[in-house]
Amino acid sequence: MLKNILGRIYALYALLLFVITMMIVFIPILIASLWPEPKPTAFFIAIGRRWMNIYLPLIGCPARLKGQEYFAPGQTYVIVCNHNALMDIPVTTGYVPGANKTLAKASMAKIPVFNVLYKIGSILVDRSSEASRKQSVVDMKHALSLGIHMLLYPEGTRNRTADPLKPFYDGAFALAIDTQTPLMPSLLFNTRKIQPPGKTFFAWPHPIHYHVLPPIPTTGMTRDDLPALKERVFKLMQDYYVTTKDKL
């Protein structure tokens, strides 16, 4: 009972500090949103990285990174990552080297203040609309052509199960194959411990680890290779997660 009470007090503290620090970085991000791409995204990510470097230690969740040397200068990637908690997105977005975007629900753009951040840092999609889904693919390909990484969560939604990973959707792998862009697997550890599934408005401090694995070339692949690529990446990420999680 005591931990439940303290966890809710901590969650309130983390939320309030997030809002306060977000308001500090909001004005320069808003100004940057007036520039043509890819400048707004690059500026947003640079600010976001500094924001997370301050915010995460203040809430007792410092980020520890591994494998960022796999990002080759000048190369664009489709990055895939596991998804366990709400805080996964700001953590991964901030710590991917270089400009990057993710895919987000179009409804997030209706939230005041947050809408500016989502419009710059994300490609918005209404999953209930076929036209919107098709347009999001066009927008993601355009972002890659501008040298902006696409950071996607192939599980689709947060993994609330006891399994290391949920089954992957095809989207990220189809995007990598269609654009002949290298696929970069990555894994987050311990965000599930910070925001446990099944608990409402509860959080608990814990260091976060974000590990990047070697990229997989897609040059010469076609859609016929998609199932094998997806299976390969799923097994690679699952094996790495299982063998690493208890060491951190």
Side-chain angles (χ1 to χ4, degrees), residues 14-200:
L15 176 60
L16 290 175
L17 192 61
F18 183 85
V19 172
I20 291 169
T21 52
M22 180 184 69
M23 295 309 296
I24 294 173
V25 302
F26 177 74
I27 296 301
I29 291 174
L30 178 62
I31 295 171
S33 69
L34 303 175
W35 303 338
E37 285 285 12
K39 288 183 178 179
T41 301
F43 183 81
F44 172 73
I45 297 304
I47 290 289
R49 187 172 298 114
R50 289 166 175 78
W51 178 14
M52 290 299 109
N53 281 341
I54 295 170
Y55 171 72
L56 292 175
L58 286 177
I59 63 169
C61 301
R64 297 168 182 172
L65 312 177
K66 182 178 179 180
Q68 289 197 318
E69 68 275 9
Y70 292 125
F71 284 89
Q75 176 63 59
T76 307
Y77 298 93
V78 174
I79 305 153
V80 291
C81 186
N82 59 326
H83 192 13
N84 290 320
L86 292 173
M87 67 188 308
D88 292 347
I89 295 173
V91 172
T92 50
T93 298
Y95 290 114
V96 167
N100 67 88
K101 288 182 181 287
T102 189
L103 197 63
K105 296 178 182 178
S107 58
M108 300 303 294
K110 298 177 182 178
I111 304 173
V113 180
F114 278 96
N115 60 351
V116 175
L117 306 185
Y118 272 96
K119 286 178 180 178
I120 299 178
S122 309
I123 287 171
L124 301 170
V125 59
D126 178 359
R127 290 188 171 90
S128 65
S129 165
E130 183 179 356
S132 179
R133 293 196 303 271
K134 288 182 177 179
Q135 184 59 46
S136 71
V137 175
V138 173
D139 293 341
M140 287 191 290
K141 290 179 178 180
H142 180 61
L144 289 170
S145 73
L146 294 176
I148 299 172
H149 306 302
M150 282 306 309
L151 171 60
L152 302 172
Y153 302 90
E155 294 167 293
T157 57
R158 291 172 60 187
N159 181 8
R160 301 175 185 271
T161 73
D163 297 326
L165 298 172
K166 289 169 56 182
F168 286 173
Y169 287 96
D170 290 349
F173 308 95
L175 178 66
I177 289 173
D178 289 349
T179 59
Q180 300 288 278
T181 303
L183 194 80
M184 180 82 79
S186 66
L187 287 149
L188 275 170
F189 297 89
N190 298 330
T191 55
R192 182 191 291 258
K193 295 177 182 178
I194 299 169
Q195 295 178 302
K199 283 184 174 287
T200 303

